[in-house]
mmCIF file of all heavy atoms in Angstrom:
data_model
loop_
_atom_site.group_PDB
_atom_site.id
_atom_site.type_symbol
_atom_site.label_atom_id
_atom_site.label_comp_id
_atom_site.label_asym_id
_atom_site.label_seq_id
_atom_site.Cartn_x
_atom_site.Cartn_y
_atom_site.Cartn_z
ATOM 1 N N LYS A 12 -72.333 101.592 205.118
ATOM 2 C CA LYS A 12 -73.540 102.095 204.401
ATOM 3 C C LYS A 12 -74.666 102.210 205.313
ATOM 4 O O LYS A 12 -75.687 103.009 205.158
ATOM 5 C CB LYS A 12 -73.851 101.127 203.256
ATOM 6 C CG LYS A 12 -72.753 101.023 202.207
ATOM 7 C CD LYS A 12 -73.201 100.060 201.158
ATOM 8 C CE LYS A 12 -72.192 100.050 199.912
ATOM 9 N NZ LYS A 12 -72.585 99.046 198.901
ATOM 10 N N SER A 13 -74.689 101.500 206.417
ATOM 11 C CA SER A 13 -75.825 101.421 207.404
ATOM 12 C C SER A 13 -75.911 102.803 208.200
ATOM 13 O O SER A 13 -74.931 103.183 208.781
ATOM 14 C CB SER A 13 -75.745 100.257 208.417
ATOM 15 O OG SER A 13 -76.719 100.454 209.424
ATOM 16 N N SER A 14 -77.057 103.412 208.151
ATOM 17 C CA SER A 14 -77.251 104.602 209.081
ATOM 18 C C SER A 14 -77.655 104.378 210.413
ATOM 19 O O SER A 14 -77.670 105.249 211.184
ATOM 20 C CB SER A 14 -78.350 105.497 208.277
ATOM 21 O OG SER A 14 -79.532 104.847 208.354
ATOM 22 N N MET A 15 -77.799 103.126 210.728
ATOM 23 C CA MET A 15 -78.339 102.769 212.131
ATOM 24 C C MET A 15 -77.160 102.459 212.999
ATOM 25 O O MET A 15 -77.300 102.387 214.276
ATOM 26 C CB MET A 15 -79.270 101.633 212.097
ATOM 27 C CG MET A 15 -80.521 101.915 211.312
ATOM 28 S SD MET A 15 -81.356 103.356 211.916
ATOM 29 C CE MET A 15 -81.876 102.698 213.475
ATOM 30 N N GLY A 16 -76.018 102.236 212.472
ATOM 31 C CA GLY A 16 -74.779 102.084 213.384
ATOM 32 C C GLY A 16 -74.663 100.581 213.843
ATOM 33 O O GLY A 16 -73.820 100.387 214.671
ATOM 34 N N THR A 17 -75.505 99.733 213.395
ATOM 35 C CA THR A 17 -75.442 98.403 213.891
ATOM 36 C C THR A 17 -74.065 97.662 213.651
ATOM 37 O O THR A 17 -73.519 97.025 214.458
ATOM 38 C CB THR A 17 -76.579 97.500 213.318
ATOM 39 O OG1 THR A 17 -77.839 98.131 213.537
ATOM 40 C CG2 THR A 17 -76.566 96.056 213.882
ATOM 41 N N CYS A 18 -73.629 97.755 212.395
ATOM 42 C CA CYS A 18 -72.360 97.175 212.062
ATOM 43 C C CYS A 18 -71.249 97.810 212.765
ATOM 44 O O CYS A 18 -70.204 97.207 213.138
ATOM 45 C CB CYS A 18 -72.137 97.355 210.560
ATOM 46 S SG CYS A 18 -73.305 96.420 209.529
ATOM 47 N N VAL A 19 -71.390 99.096 213.155
ATOM 48 C CA VAL A 19 -70.325 99.823 213.850
ATOM 49 C C VAL A 19 -70.147 99.191 215.302
ATOM 50 O O VAL A 19 -69.030 98.962 215.700
ATOM 51 C CB VAL A 19 -70.686 101.280 214.041
ATOM 52 C CG1 VAL A 19 -69.712 101.993 214.983
ATOM 53 C CG2 VAL A 19 -70.455 101.998 212.638
ATOM 54 N N VAL A 20 -71.229 99.080 215.929
ATOM 55 C CA VAL A 20 -71.181 98.467 217.261
ATOM 56 C C VAL A 20 -70.626 97.092 217.191
ATOM 57 O O VAL A 20 -69.795 96.667 218.120
ATOM 58 C CB VAL A 20 -72.618 98.341 217.899
ATOM 59 C CG1 VAL A 20 -72.613 97.707 219.142
ATOM 60 C CG2 VAL A 20 -73.169 99.872 218.054
ATOM 61 N N ALA A 21 -70.926 96.220 216.242
ATOM 62 C CA ALA A 21 -70.447 94.993 216.075
ATOM 63 C C ALA A 21 -68.863 94.969 215.886
ATOM 64 O O ALA A 21 -68.169 94.107 216.422
ATOM 65 C CB ALA A 21 -71.072 94.175 214.874
ATOM 66 N N ALA A 22 -68.520 95.971 215.175
ATOM 67 C CA ALA A 22 -67.001 96.054 214.902
ATOM 68 C C ALA A 22 -66.262 96.396 216.172
ATOM 69 O O ALA A 22 -65.140 95.885 216.476
ATOM 70 C CB ALA A 22 -66.811 97.141 213.795
ATOM 71 N N LEU A 23 -66.902 97.263 217.001
ATOM 72 C CA LEU A 23 -66.197 97.671 218.272
ATOM 73 C C LEU A 23 -66.374 96.466 219.188
ATOM 74 O O LEU A 23 -65.296 96.200 219.931
ATOM 75 C CB LEU A 23 -66.990 98.837 218.965
ATOM 76 C CG LEU A 23 -66.469 100.224 218.372
ATOM 77 C CD1 LEU A 23 -67.382 101.237 219.067
ATOM 78 C CD2 LEU A 23 -65.070 100.478 218.692
ATOM 79 N N LEU A 24 -67.280 95.736 219.193
ATOM 80 C CA LEU A 24 -67.419 94.535 220.073
ATOM 81 C C LEU A 24 -66.352 93.364 219.715
ATOM 82 O O LEU A 24 -65.732 92.881 220.536
ATOM 83 C CB LEU A 24 -68.770 93.955 220.078
ATOM 84 C CG LEU A 24 -69.864 94.733 220.794
ATOM 85 C CD1 LEU A 24 -71.165 94.014 220.562
ATOM 86 C CD2 LEU A 24 -69.582 94.830 222.249
ATOM 87 N N ALA A 25 -66.124 93.362 218.359
ATOM 88 C CA ALA A 25 -65.023 92.375 217.863
ATOM 89 C C ALA A 25 -63.685 92.938 218.358
ATOM 90 O O ALA A 25 -62.823 92.097 218.814
ATOM 91 C CB ALA A 25 -65.036 92.432 216.350
ATOM 92 N N LEU A 26 -63.371 94.181 218.315
ATOM 93 C CA LEU A 26 -62.150 94.708 218.908
ATOM 94 C C LEU A 26 -61.965 94.434 220.334
ATOM 95 O O LEU A 26 -60.904 93.948 220.900
ATOM 96 C CB LEU A 26 -62.032 96.285 218.614
ATOM 97 C CG LEU A 26 -61.733 96.714 217.238
ATOM 98 C CD1 LEU A 26 -61.850 98.149 217.043
ATOM 99 C CD2 LEU A 26 -60.204 96.250 216.871
ATOM 100 N N LEU A 27 -63.029 94.685 221.152
ATOM 101 C CA LEU A 27 -63.000 94.516 222.557
ATOM 102 C C LEU A 27 -62.835 93.091 222.952
ATOM 103 O O LEU A 27 -62.357 92.791 223.973
ATOM 104 C CB LEU A 27 -64.239 95.147 223.211
ATOM 105 C CG LEU A 27 -64.291 96.692 223.204
ATOM 106 C CD1 LEU A 27 -65.600 97.079 223.702
ATOM 107 C CD2 LEU A 27 -63.188 97.335 223.916
ATOM 108 N N SER A 28 -63.392 92.177 222.154
ATOM 109 C CA SER A 28 -63.381 90.718 222.423
ATOM 110 C C SER A 28 -61.896 90.119 222.456
ATOM 111 O O SER A 28 -61.664 89.024 222.912
ATOM 112 C CB SER A 28 -64.213 89.933 221.468
ATOM 113 O OG SER A 28 -63.609 89.909 220.152
ATOM 114 N N ILE A 29 -60.894 90.972 221.898
ATOM 115 C CA ILE A 29 -59.595 90.511 221.912
ATOM 116 C C ILE A 29 -59.128 90.217 223.353
ATOM 117 O O ILE A 29 -58.419 89.314 223.659
ATOM 118 C CB ILE A 29 -58.664 91.399 221.222
ATOM 119 C CG1 ILE A 29 -59.127 91.590 219.823
ATOM 120 C CG2 ILE A 29 -57.184 91.156 221.380
ATOM 121 C CD1 ILE A 29 -58.274 92.787 218.973
ATOM 122 N N SER A 30 -59.537 91.212 224.271
ATOM 123 C CA SER A 30 -59.085 91.001 225.663
ATOM 124 C C SER A 30 -60.230 90.803 226.720
ATOM 125 O O SER A 30 -59.869 90.571 227.858
ATOM 126 C CB SER A 30 -58.378 92.252 226.059
ATOM 127 O OG SER A 30 -59.256 93.407 225.938
ATOM 128 N N ALA A 31 -61.522 90.561 226.218
ATOM 129 C CA ALA A 31 -62.634 90.390 227.067
ATOM 130 C C ALA A 31 -63.168 89.044 226.896
ATOM 131 O O ALA A 31 -63.109 88.438 225.963
ATOM 132 C CB ALA A 31 -63.711 91.355 226.756
ATOM 133 N N PRO A 32 -63.676 88.467 228.021
ATOM 134 C CA PRO A 32 -64.157 87.099 227.948
ATOM 135 C C PRO A 32 -65.512 87.078 227.209
ATOM 136 O O PRO A 32 -66.230 88.070 227.226
ATOM 137 C CB PRO A 32 -64.413 86.704 229.381
ATOM 138 C CG PRO A 32 -64.588 87.985 230.079
ATOM 139 C CD PRO A 32 -63.761 88.955 229.412
ATOM 140 N N SER A 33 -65.852 86.025 226.586
ATOM 141 C CA SER A 33 -67.124 85.821 225.776
ATOM 142 C C SER A 33 -68.218 85.795 226.739
ATOM 143 O O SER A 33 -68.098 85.267 227.825
ATOM 144 C CB SER A 33 -67.135 84.663 224.845
ATOM 145 O OG SER A 33 -66.979 83.476 225.593
ATOM 146 N N LEU A 34 -69.373 86.175 226.316
ATOM 147 C CA LEU A 34 -70.609 86.364 227.190
ATOM 148 C C LEU A 34 -71.741 85.705 226.480
ATOM 149 O O LEU A 34 -72.198 86.159 225.358
ATOM 150 C CB LEU A 34 -70.890 87.743 227.532
ATOM 151 C CG LEU A 34 -72.083 87.939 228.555
ATOM 152 C CD1 LEU A 34 -71.718 87.421 229.930
ATOM 153 C CD2 LEU A 34 -72.377 89.437 228.718
ATOM 154 N N GLY A 35 -72.415 84.649 227.003
ATOM 155 C CA GLY A 35 -73.522 83.993 226.243
ATOM 156 C C GLY A 35 -74.813 84.822 226.808
ATOM 157 O O GLY A 35 -74.973 85.014 227.973
ATOM 158 N N LEU A 36 -75.647 85.157 225.854
ATOM 159 C CA LEU A 36 -76.772 85.920 226.161
ATOM 160 C C LEU A 36 -78.033 85.213 225.726
ATOM 161 O O LEU A 36 -78.187 84.538 224.765
ATOM 162 C CB LEU A 36 -76.774 87.233 225.394
ATOM 163 C CG LEU A 36 -75.691 88.169 225.745
ATOM 164 C CD1 LEU A 36 -75.675 89.452 224.895
ATOM 165 C CD2 LEU A 36 -75.720 88.630 227.266
ATOM 166 N N ALA A 37 -79.066 85.228 226.579
ATOM 167 C CA ALA A 37 -80.346 84.743 226.210
ATOM 168 C C ALA A 37 -81.365 85.748 226.381
ATOM 169 O O ALA A 37 -81.221 86.633 227.098
ATOM 170 C CB ALA A 37 -80.695 83.534 227.132
ATOM 171 N N ALA A 38 -82.542 85.565 225.638
ATOM 172 C CA ALA A 38 -83.496 86.658 225.624
ATOM 173 C C ALA A 38 -84.184 86.678 226.992
ATOM 174 O O ALA A 38 -84.531 85.681 227.619
ATOM 175 C CB ALA A 38 -84.604 86.309 224.513
ATOM 176 N N SER A 39 -84.451 87.894 227.493
ATOM 177 C CA SER A 39 -85.168 88.122 228.710
ATOM 178 C C SER A 39 -86.565 88.484 228.420
ATOM 179 O O SER A 39 -86.935 89.029 227.348
ATOM 180 C CB SER A 39 -84.531 89.378 229.527
ATOM 181 O OG SER A 39 -83.252 89.015 229.904
ATOM 182 N N PRO A 40 -87.544 88.251 229.296
ATOM 183 C CA PRO A 40 -88.885 88.483 229.018
ATOM 184 C C PRO A 40 -89.167 90.050 228.917
ATOM 185 O O PRO A 40 -88.403 90.820 229.558
ATOM 186 C CB PRO A 40 -89.724 88.028 230.283
ATOM 187 C CG PRO A 40 -88.685 87.523 231.150
ATOM 188 C CD PRO A 40 -87.303 87.508 230.557
ATOM 189 N N PRO A 41 -90.089 90.400 228.024
ATOM 190 C CA PRO A 41 -90.286 91.925 227.793
ATOM 191 C C PRO A 41 -91.101 92.463 229.011
ATOM 192 O O PRO A 41 -92.263 92.757 228.904
ATOM 193 C CB PRO A 41 -91.102 91.897 226.602
ATOM 194 C CG PRO A 41 -91.925 90.567 226.544
ATOM 195 C CD PRO A 41 -90.923 89.571 227.244
ATOM 196 N N GLN A 42 -90.297 92.712 230.114
ATOM 197 C CA GLN A 42 -90.941 93.289 231.323
ATOM 198 C C GLN A 42 -91.571 94.643 231.003
ATOM 199 O O GLN A 42 -91.020 95.399 230.150
ATOM 200 C CB GLN A 42 -89.926 93.399 232.389
ATOM 201 C CG GLN A 42 -89.509 91.948 232.872
ATOM 202 C CD GLN A 42 -88.242 91.979 233.746
ATOM 203 O OE1 GLN A 42 -87.223 92.521 233.348
ATOM 204 N NE2 GLN A 42 -88.334 91.608 235.023
ATOM 205 N N GLY A 43 -92.567 95.031 231.669
ATOM 206 C CA GLY A 43 -93.169 96.296 231.506
ATOM 207 C C GLY A 43 -94.527 96.272 230.902
ATOM 208 O O GLY A 43 -95.354 97.086 231.008
ATOM 209 N N GLU A 44 -94.755 95.210 230.135
ATOM 210 C CA GLU A 44 -96.069 94.981 229.459
ATOM 211 C C GLU A 44 -97.126 94.523 230.353
ATOM 212 O O GLU A 44 -98.275 94.722 230.167
ATOM 213 C CB GLU A 44 -95.978 94.037 228.271
ATOM 214 C CG GLU A 44 -94.900 94.478 227.226
ATOM 215 C CD GLU A 44 -94.790 93.405 226.124
ATOM 216 O OE1 GLU A 44 -95.488 92.364 226.133
ATOM 217 O OE2 GLU A 44 -93.970 93.642 225.222
#
């Protein structure tokens, strides 16, 4: 139902995670400001 594709990307990442290692992410500072 989402027109932004957010759920789609999540679904693809779930598929890829079958063979890919998990990656911990932390927020980076908003450089550029």
